[in-house]
Amino acid sequence: MEARRIWLNLELIKKPLKCLEYVVAHELTHFFERDHSERFVELLDSAMPNWRTIRAELNAQPLAHESW
C-alpha cells in the first residue's frame, strides 16, 4: 500500500499564497492521476483554471532567498 502523503519544500512559505495553493492543488491532483497526463491537466484545470499563470510566476522566482 502506498503512503499517499505530500511533501512540501519549506521555502514555499516565502512565496505568494497563490503559489503555495497551486503547489498543493498540483500535489493533490496526483492522488487521482499519478503522472502529468491529459487527465491530470483536465483535473487541475477544473480545480484551478489559472494554474499555468501561477506556475509560470512561481518558476520565475528563485527557490530560496539568500538574504533571509
Side-chain angles (χ1 to χ4, degrees):
M1 189 165 145
E2 294 181 42
R4 299 187 67 85
R5 68 181 109 209
I6 295 174
W7 296 90
L8 298 174
N9 185 318
L10 294 178
E11 290 292 325
L12 288 168
I13 198 67
K14 299 173 185 174
K15 305 301 180 199
L17 180 58
K18 64 184 175 183
C19 293
L20 180 56
E21 290 171 341
Y22 156 70
V23 171
V24 171
H26 178 107
E27 295 305 323
L28 287 173
T29 303
H30 280 302
F31 284 158
F32 301 98
E33 192 66 31
R34 296 192 86 192
D35 56 14
H36 296 114
S37 66
E38 186 175 321
R39 181 169 183 261
F40 176 92
V41 172
E42 290 170 0
L43 290 169
L44 196 51
D45 278 340
S46 67
M48 181 177 264
N50 62 336
W51 68 268
R52 290 171 183 86
T53 303
I54 298 168
R55 180 187 62 184
E57 180 181 335
L58 178 62
N59 288 339
Q61 299 177 23
L63 179 59
H65 292 283
E66 294 298 323
S67 61
W68 290 30

